[in-house]
Amino acid sequence: MLTSRFAKAAALALVPVLAFGTTAAAANQTITYKVRATALGQTADLTLDQGVDASAPATVAPGGALKVVIDPAPNTVPATGGGYTIREINTVALKLPVPANSTFVSASLSGGSGLGSTPPTVSKVGNDVVLSVKGPLKGGAAFELPTVTVNLTAGSSGTIQTKLGGTSYDAPGLTFNAVVVVIFPITAPAKAYPDPSPVLTSTTIG
């Protein structure tokens, strides 16, 4: 069906948003995301394997400060998907839960390019650190997501483990809109979560 193909095209637009590049002191992991895109009352489910880089200290003293850094690499928004033109993606939100045995202090962004006229933001929403990119990220254009640095205070004991957000389609860790041109531009909301959700960094308190 036309609508089913369109929903799949919108889901495929997720690929560059999820892709993170390699940095020197970071452990590269492949994350499998379950993705669902919706358009015109139709849904399409996909599975995407994406690399993620994250770094944090191996140990920290009780009550000590530590940083978790995620550094995306340059990428390109696909110009087409499923045979349709991808005009843009926008309203990207990526969740990073505040780890157990730690307290959130602050989060900051640095770098980034090709992300539209509105600067990206990072903020704590509930128990998540959320990277928000309003965009638009034009189809076929190069972009680079900003580096995210999260400052934490360690608890008294235990392990601080960093993971990506999201546990289901009803509680996604990544959302955004894809604007795909069929006969006219149509916006398809997309949502995703990692399954399984591996530990990205692990810091021992003590």
Side-chain angles (χ1 to χ4, degrees):
M1 292 180 63
L2 178 66
T3 51
S4 178
R5 287 180 61 204
F6 168 71
K8 289 180 181 178
L12 288 172
L14 281 165
V15 174
V17 178
L18 289 172
F20 289 86
T22 302
T23 58
N28 180 267
Q29 296 193 47
T30 298
I31 309 299
T32 299
Y33 268 89
K34 289 187 175 179
V35 183
R36 174 169 291 173
T38 304
L40 303 177
Q42 302 290 318
T43 62
D45 294 343
L46 295 173
T47 298
L48 299 176
D49 291 333
Q50 298 299 326
V52 175
D53 291 334
S55 61
T59 61
V60 63
L66 71 151
K67 293 183 179 181
V68 175
V69 178
I70 297 176
D71 186 10
N75 218 312
T76 303
V77 179
T80 61
Y84 299 111
T85 298
I86 298 173
R87 190 171 79 173
E88 66 181 58
I89 57 177
N90 59 56
T91 322
V92 179
L94 176 67
K95 294 181 179 179
L96 305 167
V98 176
N101 301 317
S102 72
T103 302
F104 174 82
V105 176
S106 65
S108 61
L109 302 177
S110 60
S113 62
L115 302 177
S117 58
T118 302
T121 62
V122 64
S123 60
K124 183 175 180 289
V125 180
N127 197 48
D128 295 311
V129 176
V130 181
L131 168 62
S132 299
V133 180
K134 184 176 181 181
L137 283 64
K138 298 295 185 180
F143 73 97
E144 183 176 4
L145 292 175
T147 297
V148 182
T149 299
V150 181
N151 296 292
L152 303 169
T153 298
S156 59
S157 62
T159 303
I160 299 170
Q161 296 184 330
T162 303
K163 301 179 73 173
L164 293 172
T167 57
S168 68
Y169 293 129
D170 292 328
L174 175 68
T175 58
F176 82 98
N177 294 325
V179 180
V180 182
V181 179
V182 183
I183 299 174
F184 50 87
I186 301 175
T187 298
K191 50 191 176 181
Y193 67 96
D195 182 31
S197 183
V199 174
L200 299 180
T201 69
S202 183
T203 301
T204 301
I205 301 172

